[in-house]
Amino acid sequence: MKKTGGGGGPAGDKKRGRRADSATETAPRKQAVKKDVFQIFAEKVRNHKDLESRWAVLQETRVEYFRGKDLVSFLRNHPQLKDLLEQDSNLDIEDISNILLRKNLIVRCDRVVKTIRPGKRKLSSWPAHLEIFPDQVFSDNDAFFAWTFVNRRPLWQTLLSFCWPVLTLAICLFPVYPHQVKLFILYFCAGVLLLILCLLLLRALVFGTLWIVLGKRVWFFPNILAEEATLKELFQFWPQKDETERPKWTARLFFALVAMLVVVLLRHHAPDEAARARYQKRVYNIIDDVLEWSPSLALSGMMEKQTVANVTDSTNNVTDGGAGDSAWSESTEGKTVSDQSEAEEMRNVGETEDIETS
């Protein structure tokens, strides 16, 4: 008897055909899953700390952008990043940038304001408002390029997004916190607010002094009030280079005289020592009332008021209870009224006698 193998006959041909079809179907799927090398290259370049970038508004959309000349210098200083392009690693920087433009990974932009503002020597190096440039070709001559893909969110941002609901719930539950926790939050918020105000005042004083004396515009923490600045740019301490022209000496002299006049007026109308001491005492009393308050003292005060009210009600009830008490009260009221009338008569007699003798 002859055994038939699993691969022989028409049934075996059908099985082999199914395997071949499945293999041809999975091959394109694996190729489709494979990520584009230019996408990987763009993500690597965007997340690199050496490529300088800013945030701006592009057609009512907040985008991150960079300058063409910065990309050229960046790729020249980091040629190892081209290895991510595999067979296209030998391309020039201009060709790589044009491929990124064709794949819609970046888009060329142009500044909205193209005229020099009064008081400045040249256009801003990093404009805050952009528009799409008609010719989508790479250039390193005053050209800006915005990233079009969504950058992957870091882990700390994901964890921070889960903390926002917890923080919101904690703020809503503030009235039920213990008294010591409320004091800690009060001191912390007051300290942060005082730090911000002192920082802004110090910036203004340094700017005004250097502008009047040296004619230079120096803002420490230049991005502290910028709306489009990132968290890293927000705490940048060193000021940016002054790109505007030197102010006129007449304007500096005028503002110096105004500053001196303000100082003289404030010094002339400043409160004296007695007024300052009264105001300080009043403020300290308010702060002490807030800080020395505690739930135990509040409850004890409420209990004392309750006991006093109960004693008063009991005395009123005892007084209003019997007829003898009412009669005694009426007799005493009659006596007091008669005594008052007699005293008034004696006083009037004495006054008339004094008038007659005089």
Side-chain angles (χ1 to χ4, degrees):
M1 195 171 175
K2 201 172 190 179
K3 294 183 181 178
T4 58
D13 295 337
K14 290 180 180 180
K15 291 181 180 179
R16 284 194 295 271
R18 291 173 183 172
R19 293 195 192 100
D21 294 338
S22 62
T24 55
E25 289 177 359
T26 54
R29 291 178 184 175
K30 290 181 179 179
Q31 292 177 1
V33 170
K34 186 178 179 181
K35 201 169 184 179
D36 187 9
V37 292
F38 284 93
Q39 176 77 26
I40 299 173
F41 173 78
E43 292 178 355
K44 201 73 175 178
V45 172
R46 182 177 183 178
N47 295 326
H48 205 285
K49 62 180 181 179
D50 290 342
L51 179 62
E52 190 176 3
S53 62
R54 293 286 192 276
W55 289 86
V57 178
L58 174 63
Q59 296 181 352
E60 300 181 358
T61 304
R62 193 166 179 265
V63 295
E64 185 181 5
Y65 73 101
F66 59 91
R67 298 180 295 190
K69 59 181 181 180
D70 293 335
L71 180 63
V72 172
S73 60
F74 170 76
L75 292 179
R76 286 176 180 172
N77 295 329
H78 301 83
Q80 68 276 7
L81 293 176
K82 291 184 178 180
D83 298 337
L84 298 173
L85 301 176
E86 297 177 355
Q87 65 268 20
D88 296 328
S89 59
N90 296 325
L91 294 176
D92 296 335
I93 298 176
E94 185 176 356
D95 295 335
I96 295 174
S97 302
N98 288 324
I99 293 175
L100 294 177
L101 287 170
R102 287 197 299 269
K103 289 181 176 291
N104 292 327
L105 295 174
I106 58 176
V107 60
R108 183 174 176 179
C109 307
D110 194 10
R111 62 178 78 246
V112 176
V113 180
K114 301 180 178 64
T115 58
I116 300 177
R117 294 180 179 179
K120 292 189 176 182
R121 299 177 183 176
K122 58 181 181 179
L123 294 173
S124 176
S125 301
W126 297 95
H129 296 275
L130 300 173
E131 60 183 3
I132 297 178
F133 193 73
D135 190 9
Q136 294 294 316
V137 180
F138 180 78
S139 175
D140 57 351
N141 184 16
D142 196 25
F144 306 97
F145 300 89
W147 301 104
T148 57
F149 60 91
V150 179
N151 197 11
R152 285 184 293 180
R153 182 180 299 178
L155 179 61
W156 67 271
Q157 290 186 359
T158 305
L159 297 177
L160 187 62
S161 63
F162 286 103
C163 294
W164 283 119
V166 178
L167 180 61
T168 305
L169 183 62
I171 294 173
C172 295
L173 294 177
F174 177 78
V176 298
Y177 284 174
H179 182 62
Q180 298 297 330
V181 178
K182 291 182 179 179
L183 288 181
F184 173 75
I185 296 175
L186 174 64
Y187 282 127
F188 179 76
C189 295
V192 172
L193 181 60
L194 184 62
L195 177 63
I196 294 174
L197 294 177
C198 292
L199 179 61
L200 295 178
L201 181 61
L202 180 63
R203 290 176 74 246
L205 289 176
V206 171
F207 175 82
T209 304
L210 294 180
W211 188 82
I212 292 174
V213 176
L214 302 178
K216 294 183 178 180
R217 298 173 178 86
V218 179
W219 285 107
F220 291 98
F221 292 102
N223 302 321
I224 198 68
L225 299 177
E227 297 180 356
E228 67 276 1
T230 60
L231 187 63
K232 180 181 178 181
E233 297 171 352
L234 194 65
F235 296 99
Q236 180 183 357
F237 174 76
W238 194 249
Q240 299 174 353
K241 186 178 179 181
D242 188 11
E243 298 178 353
T244 58
E245 61 182 4
R246 192 182 183 89
K248 298 180 180 179
W249 66 270
T250 54
R252 293 163 56 191
L253 181 60
F254 173 75
F255 282 104
L257 294 175
V258 170
M260 292 177 61
L261 180 62
V262 170
V263 172
V264 170
L265 290 176
L266 290 177
R267 186 175 180 83
H268 179 71
H269 294 283
D272 55 358
E273 186 65 22
R276 187 200 62 80
R278 288 195 302 270
Y279 180 75
Q280 183 178 4
K281 185 177 180 181
R282 191 182 304 115
V283 172
Y284 280 172
N285 291 335
I286 296 173
I287 296 175
D288 292 339
D289 291 340
V290 174
L291 298 181
E292 292 178 357
W293 181 90
S294 66
S296 59
L297 293 176
L299 291 175
S300 63
M302 292 173 62
M303 293 301 294
E304 289 177 359
K305 291 181 180 179
Q306 187 70 21
T307 53
V308 171
N310 292 334
V311 170
T312 307
D313 293 339
S314 62
T315 54
N316 292 333
N317 293 330
V318 170
T319 305
D320 297 338
D325 295 334
S326 61
W328 178 80
S329 61
E330 291 176 357
S331 62
T332 52
E333 288 177 358
K335 291 180 180 180
T336 53
V337 171
S338 61
D339 293 340
Q340 291 178 358
S341 61
E342 291 178 359
E344 290 178 357
E345 291 177 358
M346 293 294 292
R347 191 181 303 112
N348 293 331
V349 171
E351 290 178 355
T352 52
E353 291 178 355
D354 293 336
I355 293 171
E356 291 175 356
T357 53
S358 62

